[in-house]
Amino acid sequence: MPLFLLHAADGFFSVPVSLVFWAITIAALAISLKRAGERLDERAIPLMGVMAAFIFAGQMFNFQIPGGTSGHLLGGVLAGILLGPYAGTVVMACVIAVQALVFQDGGLVVLGANIFNMGIIGTMGGYWVYRAIAGALGGEEKGRLPAAAVAAWLSVVTAAVVVSIQLALSDTTSLGAALVAMVGWHVIIGIGEAIITVGALAFIRVARADLLTLREASAA
């Protein structure tokens, strides 16, 4: 059974599917750029660069899982928590685009789909899952780490499901085969995403707790 990756190469998705996700991604980026420009605190601008560098470096290192495959950090939920969903989306789009354009990690035709799957699902969907869970646990101060863990894990699994649907719509493989190949492994890979996300937030809380307030300052 073939193992499909979140970092899809050209040829995995059909041109119509790729164009649809290009349109969705462009619309999301247009909204994100506008909202980030309106809301972003000037103090958060350097953090965007640092976050992009951290996520870029984190995605270059793979961790092995049983079965001969591996996973790496996506970082969308982490970017969303620290920067907010809009600035976080811009950061993730830049990281994934540079990887495709400079390092040929992921195709160009499918770049819109890759940005959606690995970035927007985490920065937007994952962020709101995080906020909902943190609110249910009594607020971010109490619920930050468990909420981040669940949102990070869910962002990876959701991305795997979306990729499976894209593969099926492209007639690359059947939906059942894609779900077995993708979701089974990414349920495990998502645990690594959760651990890295929680570890980064715990370190930031100890070393630079002020960075955890920039998102709210930006929104205000």
Side-chain angles (χ1 to χ4, degrees):
M1 180 180 297
L3 176 65
F4 300 105
L5 305 175
L6 293 184
H7 242 128
D10 284 335
F12 275 32
F13 307 145
S14 68
V15 172
V17 168
S18 299
L19 289 176
V20 166
F21 279 90
W22 261 118
I24 295 171
T25 296
I26 288 170
L29 285 175
I31 294 169
S32 296
L33 285 167
K34 183 176 185 296
R35 295 290 181 87
E38 293 171 349
R39 303 183 180 190
L40 193 64
D41 190 301
E42 289 186 357
R43 295 174 300 166
I45 294 175
L47 180 59
M48 290 180 68
V50 173
M51 181 59 55
F54 174 79
I55 292 172
F56 185 89
Q59 289 193 2
M60 301 298 285
F61 292 94
N62 288 355
F63 51 86
Q64 298 298 314
I65 62 174
T69 188
S70 64
H72 64 68
L73 174 72
L74 294 185
V77 170
L78 180 61
I81 292 171
L82 292 177
L83 297 168
Y86 304 115
T89 294
V90 174
V91 165
M92 291 301 297
C94 291
V95 169
I96 296 166
V98 168
Q99 288 178 337
L101 293 168
V102 178
F103 295 95
Q104 289 78 53
D105 194 358
L108 297 181
V109 175
V110 299
L111 179 57
N114 282 342
I115 292 172
F116 180 86
N117 298 338
M118 295 188 292
I120 294 172
I121 286 176
T123 54
M124 291 194 173
Y127 170 78
W128 291 112
V129 168
Y130 162 80
R131 289 296 298 266
I133 295 174
L137 294 176
E140 285 193 77
E141 194 58 37
K142 293 181 179 179
R144 178 178 290 113
L145 298 185
V150 174
W153 178 84
L154 190 60
S155 72
V156 173
V157 176
T158 302
V161 171
V162 171
V163 170
S164 299
I165 294 170
Q166 292 166 339
L167 289 165
L169 290 174
S170 301
D171 288 328
T172 303
T173 187
S174 68
L175 179 59
L179 286 171
V180 170
M182 288 294 297
V183 178
W185 290 120
H186 284 86
V187 165
I188 302 172
I189 292 172
I191 296 172
E193 179 85 10
I195 291 171
I196 295 170
T197 301
V198 167
L201 289 172
F203 175 79
I204 291 169
R205 185 167 63 180
V206 172
R208 288 290 305 274
D210 58 301
L211 297 181
L212 297 173
T213 66
L214 287 182
R215 187 195 76 234
E216 295 302 329
S218 299

